[in-house]
Amino acid sequence: MKKIFVQLKQLNTRIAECEQEMQAIDKLPFYTVFSTEAQRRKDLDSLAAFKAVLLQQKLQLLKQLSRVARREAKSIVDNLSPLEN
């Protein structure tokens, strides 16, 4: 389970970096100065697609974490059951 938490933390960092980069691109005057608005759009679209991939990976990790947590909870309940009798 710890491995999944580490992976989630890394993914969250990458998602935050992606969002910061998208915000920076939105604010950069470079694109306007050099009349490259189409390039700005391409860059933003590329980052949005990358963010979508990261979010999909995060969703898969959360599902995996949920399965692991259910298994561990069942194991705990099974271990406690003999003590209750």
Side-chain angles (χ1 to χ4, degrees):
M1 196 177 321
K2 185 175 180 178
K3 180 181 174 185
I4 297 172
F5 280 120
V6 169
Q7 290 174 324
L8 280 171
K9 186 175 180 181
Q10 291 170 342
L11 265 176
N12 282 336
T13 300
R14 292 174 69 194
I15 290 168
E17 289 170 352
C18 186
E19 289 171 344
Q20 287 175 344
E21 199 168 334
M22 290 172 78
Q23 289 174 354
I25 287 174
D26 259 346
K27 294 177 183 176
L28 281 175
F30 168 83
Y31 292 98
T32 308
V33 170
F34 293 104
S35 301
T36 54
E37 190 60 36
Q39 184 62 45
R40 177 199 308 253
R41 189 76 253 145
K42 285 181 187 176
D43 291 348
L44 285 172
D45 289 346
S46 176
L47 283 169
F50 180 60
K51 182 180 173 186
V53 168
L54 293 175
L55 289 171
Q56 187 64 35
Q57 289 175 2
K58 183 176 181 178
L59 179 61
Q60 294 305 317
L61 282 173
L62 289 170
K63 287 178 180 179
Q64 184 180 353
L65 181 62
S66 179
R67 287 190 299 269
V68 169
R70 278 194 304 274
R71 275 196 306 262
E72 285 195 25
K74 183 182 180 325
S75 175
I76 290 169
V77 168
D78 290 346
N79 286 331
L80 289 175
S81 292
L83 297 176
E84 292 175 355
N85 293 331

